[in-house]
Amino acid sequence: TDKHQAFAEQVAKELEAANIRVETKFDDNTLGKKIKEVKLFKTPYIIIIGDREASSQTLTVETREGKKLENISAADFVAQLQTEIKERK
């Protein structure tokens, strides 16, 4: 819906502002189908924005290994990614 897309675009802008690569998926497929498609590409993180996330302005994030981070703010997730990036260098 528009509410989901607006929040997803906001999160994408925050990630891009932190120089973190991000792709968004705004098609007519169901959320489950989108998640399944993205998992085929072995994406390191999948940010899921459904009704609960859009209304609470938090994220549910799935890692490539299947670990879930729930109710994390976009700012906290960006900070976590920046730490991971620094540690890899």
Side-chain angles (χ1 to χ4, degrees):
T1 65
D2 291 338
K3 180 172 74 169
H4 299 103
Q5 186 167 338
F7 182 50
E9 288 172 347
Q10 174 190 328
V11 171
K13 285 178 185 174
E14 288 183 48
L15 290 164
E16 289 169 347
N19 292 317
I20 297 170
R21 191 176 35 198
V22 62
E23 286 183 40
T24 54
K25 198 158 180 59
F26 302 118
D27 56 31
D28 292 334
N29 288 333
T30 64
L31 184 59
K33 195 173 223 180
K34 288 178 190 181
I35 292 169
K36 195 174 191 178
E37 281 179 16
V38 173
K39 283 183 177 182
L40 293 174
F41 294 107
K42 305 267 189 222
T43 304
Y45 294 97
I46 301 169
I47 298 173
I48 300 161
I49 298 177
D51 291 336
R52 184 180 65 221
E53 292 82 10
S55 60
S56 67
Q57 298 287 290
T58 60
L59 308 175
T60 295
V61 181
E62 272 192 43
T63 68
R64 182 181 306 168
E65 296 80 25
K67 181 180 169 191
K68 270 192 179 180
L69 305 170
E70 296 184 302
N71 299 318
I72 186 170
S73 71
D76 287 345
F77 185 58
V78 167
Q80 178 181 326
L81 290 176
Q82 289 174 323
T83 300
E84 287 180 25
I85 291 166
K86 284 178 189 174
E87 290 174 357
R88 267 192 270 155
K89 290 183 178 182

